[in-house]
Amino acid sequence: IKTARALGVTSPLDPGDPTMALGTGEMTLLELTAAYAAVAANAYPLEAHGLPRGEQGWFERLATGPSSFSRGTHGAMEAMLRQAVQSG
């Protein structure tokens, strides 16, 4: 749940749900999309939106840029998602 919150999920989450890591919790499509996109980009939190936004300047990106996972955490999250797709 702590990681979901870091990825920008604000919907209520059930701590006893083992399938939550697969996105089975009740949340908006934008929250789910932003969370998966953050894992893929290794940058969080990402703000999902329906229409393209204007590009930020270099200083704004520097001051408000996203955080990132450690290499090990990012690799572990990708491996978990890959295993879920391959093995169910």
Side-chain angles (χ1 to χ4, degrees):
I1 291 178
K2 182 179 170 184
T3 301
R5 297 291 182 230
L7 293 172
V9 175
T10 58
S11 296
L13 300 172
D14 178 11
D17 183 3
T19 64
M20 186 172 34
L22 301 175
T24 62
E26 291 186 28
M27 64 185 73
T28 68
L29 180 58
L30 282 177
E31 278 186 318
L32 182 62
T33 302
Y36 278 119
V39 172
N42 192 23
Y44 64 90
L46 294 181
E47 183 182 343
H49 49 83
L51 300 173
R53 298 188 183 231
E55 190 171 322
Q56 294 179 329
W58 69 270
F59 185 75
E60 189 175 8
R61 281 195 308 269
L62 180 65
T64 63
S67 301
S68 62
F69 295 111
S70 68
R71 183 173 292 171
T73 299
H74 185 243
M77 291 180 82
E78 282 189 328
M80 177 195 65
L81 294 170
R82 194 173 299 112
Q83 186 66 27
V85 169
Q86 292 173 350
S87 301

